[in-house]
């Protein structure tokens, strides 16, 4: 079997998870990785056993024959890094948040379409088997028409963690930090998926960190027909990570909606149903990125330049919604 040859860009915290997930994908392999720092690249090589590591992105792209690149550097670099790959004709899977803002997303999408090259936002949760099942249930009308969504994605970070330092990407405006682009994007994307449209009205509030990025924010999205999503993201506060979808004919609760393995369906006059959808776990017990990687491979095999499950127009709308939220808070990244 001819394997899809992957390069990785960005050798930080999330990179080993992608590398390990690839071991679960029969027709793919990571052949090289690149960082802006050769020390970081070598450390990643030692940790994973990967031999080909580079201290410059361009060097990896020039030397290696790659079918696809996974980009996992900080948000501020996503646009220029993805552009670099697309200009060389290499397919791209770029971590969330796709770019810093909608303007960058639009330019990247236009470039991929003009060059006829595959591009996708690595919204890995979309490809989780429980979320795939959830979409089937909604499409089948199991709870009627979705009318209300409540979802929170909050991780209270230890104030002594290095992630809380102002130069870390979470807190640093120069690296396009903040809870919205890091955590809130999952909730915004989830709402886009449930209601199949962008909100017609947005009301929000945010508590800012002293570095000028959002630390906790709450947002209400209104849609035509009095439908509504109430969402929260924070890296300061702890909340139950759960999504609750209320439809005209029932309710679906998604416990741990970031790593779901159960859907709880309640319908009037029927017993509550627990649907257990065991995800395919990694050897270390983690639920990983193998599902999104398989989707990239499927698209490449079928000659698709975007995934029907995570289309580029939807990614653009998600970036536009996040731009609108940041505009309400008067939050701009340097250079915007
Ligand atoms: N899907 C998920 O579950 C998940 C989870 C966490 C994060 N993410 C996403 O994955 C991406 C990376 O996250 P991470 O947690 O791996 O981040 P990280 O460890 O803080 O940094 C990742 C990489 O970003 C670049 N970077 C970070 N800080 C920098 C700085 N001060 N100056 C210059 N470059 C810097 C470096 O790239 P180089 O090595 O190339 O120099 C670094 O290796 C982000 O888009 C994030 O939102 C996804």
């Amino acid at each position: 079997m001819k394997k899809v040859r992957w390069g990785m860009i960005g050798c930080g915290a999330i990179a080993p998870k992608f590398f390990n997930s690839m071991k679960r994908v029969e027709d793919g392999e990571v052949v090289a990785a690149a960082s802006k720092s050769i020390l970081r690249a070598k450390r990643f090589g030692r940790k994973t056993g990967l031999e080909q590591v580079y201290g410059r992105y361009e060097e990896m792209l020039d030397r290696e024959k790659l079918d696809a690149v996974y980009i996992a550097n900080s948000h501020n670099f996503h646009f220029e890094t993805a552009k670099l790959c697309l200009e060389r004709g290499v397919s791209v899977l770029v971590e969330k948040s796709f770019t810093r803002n909608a303007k960058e997303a639009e330019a990247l999408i236009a470039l991929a379409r003009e060059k006829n090259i595959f591009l996708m936002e690595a919204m890995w949760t979309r490809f989780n088997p429980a979320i795939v099942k959830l979409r089937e249930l909604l499409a089948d009308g199991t709870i009627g028409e979705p009318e209300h969504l409540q979802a929170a994605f909050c991780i209270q970070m230890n104030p002594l963690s290095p992630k809380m330092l102002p130069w870390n990407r979470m807190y640093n405006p120069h690296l396009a930090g903040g809870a919205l682009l890091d955590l809130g994007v999952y909730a915004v994307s989830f709402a886009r998926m449930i209601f199949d449209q962008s909100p017609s009205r947005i009301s929000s509030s945010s508590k800012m960190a002293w570095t000028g990025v959002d630390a906790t924010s709450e947002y209400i999205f209104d849609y035509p027909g009095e439908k509504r999503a109430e969402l929260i993201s924070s890296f300061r506060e702890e909340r139950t990570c759960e999504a609750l979808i209320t439809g005209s004919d029932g309710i679906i609760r998604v416990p741990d909606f970031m790593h779901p393995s159960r859907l709880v369906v309640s319908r009037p006059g029927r017993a509550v149903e627990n649907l257990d959808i065991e995800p395919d776990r990694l050897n270390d017990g983690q639920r990983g990125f193998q599902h999104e990687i398989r989707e990239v491979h499927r698209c490449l095999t079928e000659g698709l330049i975007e995934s029907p499950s995570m289309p580029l127009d939807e990614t653009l709308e998600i970036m536009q919604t996040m731009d609108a939220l940041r505009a309400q808070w008067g939050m701009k990244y340097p250079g915007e």
Side-chain angles (χ1 to χ4, degrees):
M1 179 198 301
K2 191 179 170 299
K3 292 193 172 186
V4 177
R5 292 170 59 84
W6 283 85
M8 292 177 58
I9 286 185
C11 293
I14 204 65
K17 187 172 172 190
F18 184 86
F19 185 90
N20 290 333
S21 298
M22 189 64 75
K23 294 179 190 159
R24 300 298 296 265
V25 184
E26 307 66 34
D27 58 343
E29 59 182 338
V30 174
V31 297
S35 168
K36 295 188 291 309
S37 143
I38 189 63
L39 291 178
R40 227 172 6 247
K42 283 188 173 166
R43 196 167 57 221
F44 179 71
R46 281 195 300 277
K47 190 168 183 175
T48 56
L50 182 67
E51 284 177 13
Q52 298 303 323
V53 294
Y54 297 90
R56 281 181 57 242
Y57 302 161
E58 290 88 345
E59 197 184 350
M60 177 181 81
L61 295 170
D62 289 344
R63 289 216 195 162
E64 299 286 341
K65 203 173 157 3
L66 302 172
D67 299 310
V69 166
Y70 167 69
I71 296 174
N73 48 18
S74 47
H75 306 142
N76 59 309
F77 294 117
H78 286 183
F79 171 70
E80 62 186 67
T81 315
K83 187 164 171 275
L84 199 68
C85 298
L86 292 172
E87 280 167 347
R88 282 167 162 79
V90 183
S91 296
V92 176
L93 175 66
V94 58
E95 260 304 340
K96 44 55 66 175
S97 286
F98 189 64
T99 48
R100 288 188 309 171
N101 53 42
K103 192 172 158 210
E104 289 181 351
E106 203 165 10
L108 214 51
I109 292 168
L111 180 65
R113 286 180 175 158
E114 180 202 317
K115 292 194 163 285
N116 208 31
I117 298 169
F118 180 85
L119 174 66
M120 187 175 103
E121 177 187 5
M123 184 47 70
W124 67 292
T125 44
R126 286 260 170 133
F127 304 96
N128 177 299
I131 299 296
V132 173
K133 180 70 186 171
L134 170 68
R135 293 183 88 169
E136 284 169 16
L137 293 176
L138 294 176
D140 290 348
T142 306
I143 58 163
E145 191 70 19
E147 291 177 342
H148 191 268
L149 166 70
Q150 241 179 339
F153 186 29
C154 304
I155 299 179
Q156 189 177 33
M157 294 192 184
N158 177 348
L160 300 177
S161 150
K163 287 198 168 176
M164 301 299 270
L165 297 171
W167 52 86
N168 181 275
R169 75 170 181 84
M170 304 292 271
Y171 258 68
N172 190 332
H174 292 276
L175 302 179
L180 176 65
L181 263 66
D182 204 67
L183 309 175
V185 61
Y186 288 111
V188 173
S189 182
F190 200 81
R192 176 64 185 74
M193 182 183 85
I194 298 297
F195 292 107
D196 202 20
Q197 60 187 314
S198 288
S200 48
R201 197 166 73 96
I202 296 175
S203 345
S204 69
S205 65
S206 182
K207 291 181 208 157
M208 308 302 274
W210 65 272
T211 53
V213 301
D214 63 301
T216 297
S217 42
E218 305 196 14
Y219 17 105
I220 296 175
F221 295 168
D222 285 308
Y223 303 87
E226 299 190 336
K227 296 173 184 174
R228 175 170 273 202
E230 292 176 55
L231 312 170
I232 304 178
S233 54
S234 174
F235 51 52
R236 279 224 186 112
E237 293 175 17
E238 197 68 68
R239 301 279 172 111
T240 306
C241 181
E242 176 169 292
L244 191 67
I245 306 150
T246 306
S248 49
D249 254 332
I251 295 173
I252 301 180
R253 193 162 63 81
V254 190
D256 191 10
F257 91 102
M258 288 299 299
H259 306 96
S261 55
R262 169 172 281 195
L263 304 172
V264 183
V265 183
S266 316
R267 286 181 282 186
R270 298 190 190 206
V272 173
E273 285 174 85
N274 289 314
L275 304 178
D276 289 315
I277 301 121
E278 191 51 32
D280 164 16
R281 287 174 193 272
L282 296 182
N283 294 337
D284 58 4
Q286 281 187 359
R287 288 152 283 192
F289 297 158
Q290 60 272 30
H291 307 293
E292 67 176 355
I293 297 172
R294 289 191 189 118
E295 172 68 356
V296 176
H297 290 188
R298 186 185 74 83
C299 291
L300 295 181
T301 305
E302 293 180 12
L304 302 176
I305 64 160
E306 57 185 289
S307 160
S309 301
M310 189 64 252
L312 292 169
D313 286 340
E314 209 172 303
T315 288
L316 177 60
E317 284 184 35
I318 290 161
M319 292 310 307
Q320 285 164 340
T321 300
M322 295 201 297
D323 279 3
L325 285 166
R326 288 197 297 120
Q328 291 191 353
W329 313 331
M331 176 181 157
K332 281 191 174 182
Y333 292 121
E336 276 192 319

